[in-house]
Amino acid sequence: MRIRLPPLPRVPRRGSDRRRLEVGSRPGGGAPGSPYPSFDVAAEDKWAHDWDEKTRRLVLQRVHDVPPYRFFAPSEARLLEAICARLLPQDDRLPSERVPIAPWIDARLHEGRGDGYRYEDMPDDREAYRRGLAALDRTAVEVRHASFLELSDEQRDALLGEIAQGRVRVEAWEGLAVDRFVRRLMNDVISAYYAHPLAWAEIGFNGPSSPRGHMRLDLGRRDPWEAEESIPRSSVEIVRRAPGGSGGGDVPTH
Amino acid sequence: MDGQRNVPRRHTPADVLIIGAGAAGGVLAKELAEAGFTVVVLEAGPHWVPERDFVSDERGAEQLYWTDPRVTTGRDPIELGANVTGKGVGGSTVHYSMVALRMHESDFMVGTLGGVAHDWPIRYEDLEPYYERVETELGISGPVRWPWSPHRRGPYPYREHPLNSVAQLFARGCDRLGIRWAPAPIATISARKGDRPPCVYRGFCIYGCSTNAKSSTLVTYIPRAIAAGAEIRAECMATRVNVGPDGRARSVTYLRRLADGHVVEEEQAAELVILSCYSVETPRLLLASAQRGHPDGLANSSGLVGKGLMVHSANIVHGRFPEIVYQYKGPPTLALTQDFYETDDRNDYVRGFTIEPIGPFPIAFAKQVASGLGLWGRELRELMFDYNHYAALGLVGECLPDDENTVTLDPDEKDDHGLAVARVTFGWGENDRRLFRAGADREREILEAAGAEVTWEAEDTSHLMGACRMGDDATTSVVDQWCRTWDVPNLFVCDGSVFVTSSASNPSLTIQAIAARTADYIVNRARTGEFTRRAAGAA
Ligand SMILES: Cc1cc2nc3c(=O)[nH]c(=O)nc-3n(C[C@H](O)[C@H](O)[C@H](O)COP(=O)(O)OP(=O)(O)OC[C@H]3O[C@@H](n4cnc5c(N)ncnc54)[C@H](O)[C@@H]3O)c2cc1C
Ligand code: SF4
């Protein structure tokens, strides 16, 4: 069932404003494992009060006008998509309903938009991606004797895990700082995914909240239009198991 | 860049030319225009209209940041970009988090008290009346009683904001441990001020406040400056300060971006030039202005332009709570403690820190999950399902100045205009590290006392300071106590770069108080005839 959100009468009748925000096939856009399976970040009342016109336009564009690949070659784009699918898996969603990630990385590189700084020991982002993707695939061949795209999901995860922890043969990376590349990639993946209303819905984030704002600020209090948790999912165990959590690493707790 | 081949357009000379319309530039423009000077402000970024331009979206806020290329290096390279500087009228105050603190008496005397740095050439008392003035102009909302500074007179201009859930957890943890806390004084109004409505607790403050409650200089000082006759020239990037044969600053050359995207070179002459471009761009501009008589850059006879850059350690500890928190609601910092601010002989470090609750939005939070916990894949996504159960505390940790931490011109890399980009070199000192380790431990204790089931940490930094420090000796500082450069009598540097030490307070209110004091000084000197005031109806 697709939810279709009627455009607001207040919205000027032009451009993307009149288009509808379709947020996936489930009510509210949440994911099956989400504590907020029925939260709808763009429900009618919210669309009316929490989405000012310019933010509507921006997010509608983000949802509907996913840019074509202009920077990466088709083979690079396929590889990057496969990597993103493991760094932020969405196999609980139909392919047509997954939040696009790689196209936004491509767009940023194509347009030459950066963060405003480059580590001295890193090339610029464009070169870093070209070289990083090639090095990652080389590592797959060296370690698993097959290119990344030929590996199973489990093998892909294992390989990415090794790379994320820096357990790679540096020569294959030809001087590219692996840790910085992984961080760059992770940050880009996160910036694309958590900018999407589907992602906001599944974590119970209220969305633009403009112009209405909030009235109930007290601990445990919820404004009627905020996400209501129905299936709590504590992350305590995940933190305990995490490399940088209480279980290990250099950041002890308790 | 066709236009650059033509003779640059020259404007009518101004009394005062200010470069950079941020925290300091805004204050200077208003005070000097109201005092009867003709004022021109060059600002590299656009002139925003909050209601029109500010989207309520974490990614959409990218437009507000200084994202021109810079190189970061050193033992502990700093994350620049969004984390440290804005671009556009209002400067970094457009996306700052509004905490409006006065520095402590001891902050001005770190040399005398601890022997670990230079003293400031001014004392708390010198700034006090200016703190008062800026707080009134911005309409700071804050508590009636301030536990840590005996000199704070009376309540803040606006009533304090209510505590949000994260601040309540912080307060609960502090209470249980016997740590004093107070509602945070912040630069967003809690009741109407002129045509600006009060804060509605949307929490989008660091992405630009479309409500217009946030007291950035864009909506406070700048409109007053314009009303008093100042001209704010947006999309104009200063590239060089020109010095005449008399050794005085004559004009500034700049690149103006036209509506069609073309860039033309222009020149603005002035009696008096003030650089307010902040700790990276001010030294960059001074160094790029090397010319006859000033081979190592302008105002650099001490060799200290670009040296002594500081940044606050801002380590974050996140705690998972059984209660639902909704950490995105309200301004991020609504309470704080300065109980660990001063040097304490029991510590293995000198100076101290402030602890402030924060409320990262989903993208920022997920990045901290990735960097702090090392998570990715399914576990990252699953932890994010629990976003609403987290509360975080952030540090403002004092960083001792070190002349090895620098801003220089990169020998190789150029920006779109062919100008050398800034190269920022930074490494923590041993004291800094001990201090932020202790700070993170305290944050953890407070969260645990408040009932956190599990905690984890992400490293971070915030706030640039220094790189053109003030002092009372021309050989050990770049500007005097009035922000006047020692070398060029009509050239001032007035922004965060004049900081001598970093303090453990968020810097903007001090930057603005210093700017108000410099403006007063210039007005007084004009009375003696040193500087011209051409505008009619001088106050
Ligand atoms: C995310 C974030 C949160 C923060 N939170 C707080 C807080 O809660 N409390 C606090 O006190 N401080 C905070 N700060 C720090 C505070 O914003 C800065 O310290 C302060 O704004 C610096 O003031 P400034 O006048 O020196 O520079 P800015 O305010 O940065 O202004 C400099 C201006 O100069 C312009 N400029 C630079 N170079 C040129 C050039 N060559 N030509 C023309 N224009 C130029 C820039 O575009 C900019 O507009 C925060 C900063 C950030 C980034
Ligand atoms: S919380 Fe207040 S200051 Fe922050 S963006 Fe919202 S209205 Fe503006």
Side-chain angles (χ1 to χ4, degrees):
Chain A
M1 181 181 75
R2 266 170 192 277
I3 43 156
R4 293 186 165 264
L5 300 159
L8 257 200
R10 294 194 287 124
V11 180
R13 295 169 55 80
R14 64 187 165 82
S16 55
D17 303 273
R18 289 169 61 243
R19 281 206 271 161
R20 293 158 180 215
L21 185 67
E22 294 169 0
V23 285
S25 63
R26 355 189 75 254
S34 157
Y36 314 93
S38 58
F39 175 55
D40 183 347
V41 74
E44 217 166 313
D45 159 76
K46 294 180 71 60
W47 190 249
H49 300 293
D50 290 341
W51 290 73
D52 64 34
E53 189 203 320
K54 51 194 185 296
T55 309
R56 283 179 190 173
R57 204 178 295 148
L58 175 81
V59 176
L60 281 167
Q61 198 182 16
R62 183 177 298 157
V63 168
H64 293 293
D65 304 340
V66 179
Y69 285 102
R70 289 162 296 177
F71 174 76
F72 289 117
S75 61
E76 289 172 321
R78 266 197 310 279
L79 176 59
L80 182 61
E81 282 191 355
I83 295 168
C84 291
R86 299 321 302 161
L87 293 180
L88 222 145
Q90 308 182 54
D91 14 50
D92 52 332
R93 296 201 173 100
L94 295 174
S96 61
E97 290 165 0
R98 291 181 189 152
V99 174
I101 294 176
W104 292 108
I105 301 179
D106 182 274
R108 183 173 82 71
L109 296 170
H110 172 75
E111 290 157 23
R113 274 182 293 115
D115 280 342
Y117 59 98
R118 172 178 76 71
Y119 290 97
E120 194 198 13
D121 55 6
M122 282 290 278
D124 69 50
D125 284 350
R126 293 178 177 183
E127 194 187 329
Y129 264 98
R130 286 246 145 84
R131 285 173 51 191
L133 289 179
L136 194 144
D137 212 28
R138 257 197 314 274
T139 305
V141 172
E142 273 183 20
V143 182
R144 313 272 149 168
H145 313 291
S147 94
F148 189 83
L149 288 170
E150 290 158 3
L151 303 179
S152 68
D153 283 353
E154 291 69 32
Q155 289 172 320
R156 289 177 184 184
D157 283 355
L159 185 79
L160 289 171
E162 285 158 25
I163 292 171
Q165 288 168 28
R167 288 192 278 124
V168 295
R169 212 172 59 84
V170 256
E171 293 76 27
W173 289 74
E174 293 174 349
L176 190 71
V178 185
D179 54 338
R180 293 215 203 284
F181 176 69
V182 169
R183 178 111 181 234
R184 167 81 275 161
L185 180 59
M186 237 11 254
N187 282 350
D188 282 343
V189 168
I190 286 167
S191 300
Y193 186 77
Y194 289 103
H196 198 284
L198 273 176
W200 299 340
E202 74 181 16
I203 66 170
F205 176 63
N206 195 56
S209 308
S210 174
R212 176 158 57 182
H214 291 289
M215 299 192 306
R216 293 168 184 81
L217 303 182
D218 286 341
L219 182 62
R221 296 286 314 274
R222 186 179 70 86
D223 278 322
W225 55 85
E226 283 184 282
E228 185 167 17
E229 189 177 48
S230 49
I231 316 161
R233 302 250 321 195
S234 169
S235 59
V236 169
E237 286 314 313
I238 299 178
V239 173
R240 295 220 166 102
R241 282 199 309 270
S246 341
D250 50 0
V251 201
T253 22
H254 293 284
Chain B
M1 301 258 287
D2 293 345
Q4 283 198 42
R5 271 183 254 116
N6 306 330
V7 180
R9 176 170 160 211
R10 289 210 171 79
H11 293 266
T12 320
D15 292 340
V16 179
L17 174 59
I18 300 166
I19 316 299
V27 173
L28 289 160
K30 178 234 169 214
E31 299 296 346
L32 294 173
E34 286 185 349
F37 293 88
T38 57
V39 174
V40 172
V41 185
L42 302 181
E43 166 53 51
H47 199 144
W48 306 112
V49 179
E51 297 88 339
R52 183 193 67 198
D53 301 324
F54 294 168
V55 287
S56 293
D57 184 76
E58 209 176 342
R59 201 165 92 194
E62 281 167 3
Q63 56 174 356
L64 305 177
Y65 312 143
W66 186 285
T67 53
D68 299 8
R70 288 166 173 169
V71 174
T72 185
T73 183
R75 283 193 311 279
D76 306 292
I78 309 173
E79 264 183 46
L80 301 168
N83 207 28
V84 294
T85 34
K87 182 176 183 179
V89 175
S92 307
T93 70
V94 167
H95 81 283
Y96 79 157
S97 41
M98 317 183 294
V99 179
L101 293 174
R102 297 182 180 194
M103 290 185 1
H104 291 201
E105 283 82 346
S106 65
D107 285 322
F108 299 88
M109 303 185 290
V110 174
T112 309
L113 296 178
V116 287
H118 292 275
D119 277 359
W120 289 56
I122 50 175
R123 290 291 174 265
Y124 175 82
E125 296 71 42
D126 297 314
L127 280 188
E128 186 167 46
Y130 299 101
Y131 276 132
E132 198 88 32
R133 238 204 255 171
V134 174
E135 284 164 351
T136 305
E137 189 65 37
L138 297 177
I140 303 297
S141 309
V144 173
R145 209 182 61 82
W146 188 248
W148 302 283
S149 177
H151 287 283
R152 236 249 68 99
R153 287 188 302 255
Y156 279 91
Y158 279 73
R159 174 180 58 77
E160 69 199 35
H161 290 276
L163 301 186
N164 64 0
S165 50
V166 182
Q168 288 175 4
L169 284 167
F170 167 74
R172 181 158 96 189
C174 287
D175 286 343
R176 288 183 180 160
L177 295 171
I179 296 168
R180 292 172 300 171
W181 61 273
I186 57 174
T188 180
I189 45 184
S190 53
R192 178 166 284 277
K193 186 176 198 296
D195 56 0
R196 290 196 296 128
C199 173
V200 298
Y201 307 110
R202 307 161 46 237
F204 273 83
C205 326
I206 64 169
Y207 309 108
C209 175
S210 60
T211 311
N212 224 358
K214 175 180 188 171
S215 300
S216 64
T217 51
L218 171 65
V219 301
T220 55
Y221 279 95
I222 293 287
R224 300 270 313 257
I226 295 170
E231 183 196 342
I232 314 292
R233 221 173 275 162
E235 307 279 7
C236 290
M237 164 91 183
T239 56
R240 184 182 146 96
V241 180
N242 306 300
V243 176
D246 58 354
R248 294 173 69 85
R250 186 169 42 78
S251 69
V252 169
T253 305
Y254 62 96
L255 297 172
R256 184 202 283 261
R257 180 180 300 280
L258 304 174
D260 65 5
H262 275 80
V263 175
V264 294
E265 186 169 90
E266 299 187 354
E267 188 176 330
Q268 175 69 54
E271 288 284 327
L272 202 146
V273 176
I274 311 177
L275 306 190
S276 302
C277 308
Y278 207 8
S279 291
V280 176
E281 296 304 316
T282 287
R284 178 186 180 207
L285 184 53
L286 288 170
L287 294 171
S289 299
Q291 53 201 281
R292 192 133 58 92
H294 304 271
D296 304 318
L298 267 194
N300 199 18
S301 64
S302 63
L304 288 170
V305 167
K307 293 200 175 139
L309 180 74
M310 295 167 283
V311 66
H312 283 135
S313 50
N315 297 47
I316 300 164
V317 177
H318 295 268
R320 201 275 173 187
F321 288 86
E323 300 98 326
I324 194 151
V325 179
Y326 299 113
Q327 58 177 319
Y328 53 79
K329 283 195 264 190
T333 299
L334 285 162
L336 52 81
T337 179
Q338 296 197 321
D339 262 9
F340 312 102
Y341 198 95
E342 304 288 342
T343 297
D344 182 335
D345 291 338
R346 288 167 300 181
N347 296 333
D348 62 354
Y349 56 89
V350 297
R351 306 306 296 158
F353 48 83
T354 298
I355 294 178
E356 302 174 352
I358 55 171
F361 269 26
I363 293 175
F365 184 80
K367 286 180 179 174
Q368 285 158 25
V369 172
S371 70
L373 283 172
L375 291 185
W376 55 276
R378 184 166 314 284
E379 297 215 304
L380 169 75
R381 192 158 160 230
E382 277 182 17
L383 187 137
M384 288 300 292
F385 286 161
D386 209 18
Y387 168 73
N388 281 338
H389 278 271
Y390 277 90
L393 301 182
L395 204 65
V396 180
E398 178 151 0
C399 160
L400 295 182
D402 177 352
D403 286 350
E404 303 287 307
N405 291 332
T406 57
V407 177
T408 54
L409 297 180
D410 194 272
D412 304 315
E413 192 157 332
K414 305 273 184 275
D415 69 8
D416 288 349
H417 311 299
L419 307 168
V421 307
R423 178 186 173 87
V424 176
T425 307
F426 186 82
W428 296 116
E430 192 46 42
N431 192 77
D432 304 331
R433 286 182 191 285
R434 290 196 185 139
L435 185 152
F436 68 65
R437 296 280 18 114
D441 287 346
R442 285 280 183 234
E443 292 177 327
R444 209 180 280 279
E445 282 165 29
I446 294 170
L447 288 169
E448 285 171 0
E453 301 160 279
V454 71
T455 60
W456 48 274
E457 184 186 343
E459 289 190 356
D460 200 2
T461 57
S462 60
H463 314 143
L464 299 174
M465 291 139 305
C468 290
R469 70 167 164 262
M470 56 161 64
D472 38 33
D473 181 339
T475 62
T476 54
S477 56
V478 177
V479 298
D480 68 12
Q481 60 158 306
W482 308 105
C483 297
R484 189 203 283 248
T485 63
W486 292 109
D487 300 350
V488 184
N490 65 336
L491 176 66
F492 287 68
V493 166
C494 185
D495 57 26
S497 62
V498 304
F499 276 40
V500 181
T501 54
S502 75
S503 88
S505 291
N506 312 53
S508 65
L509 196 75
T510 301
I511 294 171
Q512 293 179 295
I514 290 172
R517 183 169 182 267
T518 292
D520 252 14
Y521 171 75
I522 291 169
V523 172
N524 288 335
R525 298 306 295 174
R527 289 208 184 96
T528 72
E530 185 179 356
F531 303 125
T532 334
R533 256 194 292 196
R534 259 167 291 203

